[in-house]
Amino acid sequence: MAPFIQSATLLYLFHIGMGASEYDADGLVSKPEIKAQELRVKGADHSVLIAKSAYYPQLAFNAGLGSNYYKTSGFDAESFGKQLKNNFRQYLGLSLNVPIFNRFSTRNSVRSARIDRDNQVLKLEDAKKSLYKEIQQVYYNAIAAESRYVSSRQAVASNEYAFRLTQGKYENGKASITEFNEAKNNLLKAQSDMVQAKYESLYQNSLLDFYRGKSLDF
C-alpha cells in the first residue's frame, strides 16, 4: 500500500496545480550538469572582469639582489668570497604602465569575453529547458502509471467478485467448466496486470525522487 499512498499525494499535488513545478525547481538545483554550467557562467563573468582590468593603469614593484666574481688570466685577483662581498648589489623599483592605445586589443578581448559569457548563459538556459522537459515527462509518466495502478486494483476487485460468483454457480451446477476457467483466467490476468502496474508506479515515483536529488530506491 505504501506506493499508492505516496502516489496519491502526487496526484493531489497535480490536481491543485503544484506537483510538477516543485519537482522542476528541486531538479534544477540538484542536477550536476546544471551546477557545472552555473560554475562555467561564473567563470565567464570573472574572465570579463580580467579582460576589463587591462583598461586600468598597472603599478608593478620589483626588487633584486646580485653579485659577481671575475678573474683575468695572468693577473692576481681577490678571493672568491671577498669579490662576492665587494660586488654585492641590490635594488628596488616601481613601474607604472598607463594604457593609452593598444590597437583595440583590450576592447576586443573584453568583447570576446562577453560573447563567451553570453554563450555560457545560453547553454545554461538550454540545459535548464532540457531538464525541465525530462522532469515534466517523468512526472506525467508517474501520473499515468498511478492511474493504471488504481484501475488495475479496481479490475482485480471486480474480477474477484465475478470469480466467486462463477465459482458458486459452478459448484451448484449452474455454470460450465469453461465459464469457471474463463473467470479464473480473467482474475489471474487482472492480478498480473496489477503487479506490473504497481512496480511501474514505484519505478516512476523513484525517478521523481531521483530528480529531487535523492538516491534511487526500488
Side-chain angles (χ1 to χ4, degrees):
M1 294 297 292
F4 174 74
I5 294 174
Q6 178 185 3
S7 297
T9 303
L10 183 63
L11 283 169
Y12 170 72
L13 291 174
F14 172 74
H15 286 308
I16 64 174
M18 294 172 62
S21 60
E22 175 193 353
Y23 284 96
D24 295 335
D26 289 337
L28 292 178
V29 170
S30 63
K31 293 296 283 183
E33 56 265 35
I34 299 299
K35 290 183 178 180
Q37 190 57 40
E38 287 175 343
L39 290 175
R40 293 188 187 100
V41 171
K42 290 181 179 180
D45 286 334
H46 288 298
S47 295
V48 173
L49 294 176
I50 292 172
K52 291 173 68 175
S53 68
Y55 282 126
Y56 308 113
Q58 297 180 359
L59 181 64
F61 169 78
N62 53 78
L65 300 172
S67 184
N68 66 289
Y69 168 81
Y70 63 89
K71 177 176 174 52
T72 303
S73 177
F75 294 89
D76 293 334
E78 293 180 326
S79 66
F80 178 77
K82 191 172 183 179
Q83 283 200 42
L84 289 182
K85 180 179 180 181
N86 292 338
N87 296 330
F88 178 76
R89 61 187 180 277
Q90 56 188 342
Y91 67 90
L92 299 175
L94 289 174
S95 62
L96 179 64
N97 179 23
V98 180
I100 299 177
F101 180 73
N102 58 2
R103 298 181 181 179
F104 304 111
S105 175
T106 300
R107 185 196 66 177
N108 293 336
S109 296
V110 172
R111 286 181 177 179
S112 177
R114 285 174 173 167
I115 290 173
D116 179 63
R117 192 252 180 208
D118 291 341
N119 287 335
Q120 295 300 332
V121 170
L122 289 175
K123 289 180 180 180
L124 176 60
E125 292 304 315
D126 287 342
K128 287 182 177 180
K129 288 178 182 178
S130 177
L131 181 58
Y132 174 83
K133 291 180 180 179
E134 289 180 23
I135 295 174
Q136 286 284 322
Q137 187 60 55
V138 172
Y139 177 79
Y140 291 118
N141 285 347
I143 296 296
E146 178 56 32
S147 178
R148 288 191 295 271
Y149 179 52
V150 172
S151 298
S152 67
R153 285 165 56 88
Q154 294 172 347
V156 168
S158 176
N159 279 281
E160 282 178 343
Y161 175 78
F163 175 71
R164 288 195 300 269
L165 186 63
T166 303
Q167 186 179 32
K169 289 182 178 181
Y170 176 72
E171 290 173 351
N172 289 287
K174 295 182 179 180
S176 66
I177 184 64
T178 300
E179 293 173 321
F180 175 81
N181 287 334
E182 183 179 358
K184 182 178 180 180
N185 290 335
N186 289 339
L187 175 58
L188 291 174
K189 184 179 184 304
Q191 290 173 334
S192 175
D193 291 343
M194 185 187 71
V195 171
Q196 292 181 14
K198 174 183 177 180
Y199 284 102
E200 175 65 19
S201 180
L202 274 172
Y203 171 74
Q204 295 298 339
N205 275 279
S206 294
L207 281 183
L208 284 176
D209 286 339
F210 170 73
Y211 278 102
R212 299 189 68 179
K214 299 179 182 179
S215 59
L216 288 175
D217 184 11
F218 299 112

